[in-house]
Amino acid sequence: QVQLVESGGGLVQAGGSLRLSCAASGNSFSISNMGWYRQAPGKQRELVASITSGGSTNYADSVKGRFTISRDNAKNTVYLQMNSLNAEDTAVYYCNAYGKYYTGIRWSDTHDYWGQGTQVTVSS
């Protein structure tokens, strides 16, 4: 199986920056796309940014020009650099990965994996 662990969340002043990290771990696995989602209290979970194994990126309109997603394939880690943060960015941020793992006999079907979430709070 694949496990995802996020880190880097916390409290920051409006206009400040944070860098989130998400590391994938497991015995034998292969990850293709990775991304970040967020969910604020009382709101639906939304896609923030995604990145393919080749480095192609996509961003939500609300974060374009402020956030940057990147990945280190050698470390099986995806990052989210968040700049010019504002109160609307306050949410729990979740790491997502699409991939497969080796069962010991064959590779599994590809499917989604999720991290536990990390809180980002932006104060006014």
Side-chain angles (χ1 to χ4, degrees):
Q1 273 286 359
V2 180
Q3 298 82 43
L4 303 177
V5 179
E6 303 104 331
S7 62
L11 176 65
V12 65
Q13 287 272 83
S17 299
L18 283 174
R19 187 181 189 233
L20 305 183
S21 299
C22 173
S25 63
N27 289 332
S28 182
F29 62 93
S30 178
I31 299 296
S32 55
N33 298 335
M34 301 188 79
W36 290 94
Y37 289 72
R38 68 185 181 187
Q39 186 169 23
K43 296 184 178 180
Q44 299 294 316
R45 185 175 297 188
E46 64 175 347
L47 175 67
V48 177
S50 63
I51 185 169
T52 68
S53 59
S56 180
T57 60
N58 285 287
Y59 297 93
D61 289 340
S62 60
V63 307
K64 286 181 179 177
R66 300 190 298 121
F67 291 10
T68 302
I69 188 170
S70 61
R71 66 190 292 171
D72 185 335
N73 291 331
K75 295 182 178 180
N76 297 306
T77 300
V78 64
Y79 307 93
L80 185 67
Q81 179 66 48
M82 304 185 294
N83 299 325
S84 302
L85 287 163
N86 56 58
E88 287 69 46
D89 297 315
T90 294
V92 177
Y93 285 70
Y94 296 91
C95 179
N96 169 259
Y98 186 71
K100 59 185 179 181
Y101 66 95
Y102 192 65
T103 66
I105 301 174
R106 63 172 179 83
W107 286 97
S108 70
D109 294 334
T110 52
H111 54 95
D112 284 304
Y113 300 93
W114 292 92
Q116 81 288 348
T118 184
Q119 177 71 49
V120 171
T121 303
V122 184
S123 64
S124 300

